[in-house]
Amino acid sequence: MLRSTTLAVPECADVPRHLAIIMDGNGRWATKRFLPRTAGHVRGVQAVRRAVEACGRRGVEYLTLFAFSSENWRRPQEEVSLLMRLFIQTLEKEVSKLNDQGVRLRIVGDLSPFEPRLQELIQAAEQRTAHNTTLNLTIAANYGGRWDILQAFRRLLQARPDLANDPQAVDESLLTQYLSMSYAPEPDLFIRTGGEQRISNFLVWQLAYTELYFSDDFWPDFGPKEIDAAFDWYRTRERRFGRTSAQVAQQP
Ligand code: IPE
Ligand code: IPE
Ligand code: MG
């Protein structure tokens, strides 16, 4: 069973076991080149492919990518449609390759507003790759950290109506079992490209003790070299989880 970082100090290695990325800056990458924003999203997919490969090689166990937030529906309709089409095309084209690489793919988020074709592709991709163990790739789509906590709370209440009379019995370990990424440890490293320094409703529960790394590179320009720079920075962090430096130094 996975233990929460607020309940137990996790083991830390040189390479993050779980890397979570906000892939930001596709639109600005394109605008800078006088291209439509959509061209940036197309290039962004290529950067996803590179990141998956680089993380696999470096021994990352869990890679989680924020592809579409629950707030991204606010964008112009043409951009939203293009993103949905791109998602469909990418699943159609890439799942075989991911499967060959031993990647297990999961999509988290509220999938109910997606068109049936997309929902079918998601289900098929998850089933097809379910036996893989090299890298756990999670794509967050129509995902919001607050949505996740709420849906966890609702599902817990549904499964355990008795808890309404015994609220003290609800603890972190119980609630986290209902979060959409209950299969993964909390992220060790978070990367956001594109220069903004905010969480934008990503994994708000799970980022409690994650090391936060911000890069000014736009996502389409982010490759293995930039991932290595982030990992180099990560290695210099002292992860204290509430303890003192002296305690960290003494740990076995
Ligand atoms: C991230 O790039 C991709 C999605 C949110 C789908 P953006 O589209 O947010 O790019 P910028 O931030 O406008 O440059
Ligand atoms: C966050 O990027 C969501 C994704 C990368 C999918 P946004 O570009 O939508 O975030 P804000 O709106 O600038 O905070
Ligand atoms: Mg953005």
Side-chain angles (χ1 to χ4, degrees), residues 24-25 28 37 75 192 196:
D24 196 19
R28 281 165 288 157
R37 288 177 54 83
R75 293 192 176 196
R192 182 176 186 141
E196 311 295 350

Side-chain angles (χ1 to χ4, degrees), residues 132-189:
N132 290 336
T133 52
T134 310
L135 174 69
N136 288 280
L137 172 63
T138 303
I139 305 291
N142 191 24
Y143 179 88
R146 290 186 181 175
W147 164 84
D148 199 1
I149 295 167
L150 263 176
Q151 69 79 29
F153 183 65
R154 287 181 186 139
R155 286 200 299 136
L156 170 60
L157 271 185
Q158 209 159 30
R160 297 280 312 275
D162 56 298
L163 291 173
N165 297 318
D166 187 13
Q168 292 305 324
V170 181
D171 59 18
E172 271 190 38
S173 307
L174 188 58
L175 189 64
T176 52
Q177 286 168 36
Y178 291 87
L179 289 173
S180 53
M181 289 194 64
S182 57
Y183 53 85
E186 291 167 37
D188 301 290
L189 176 64

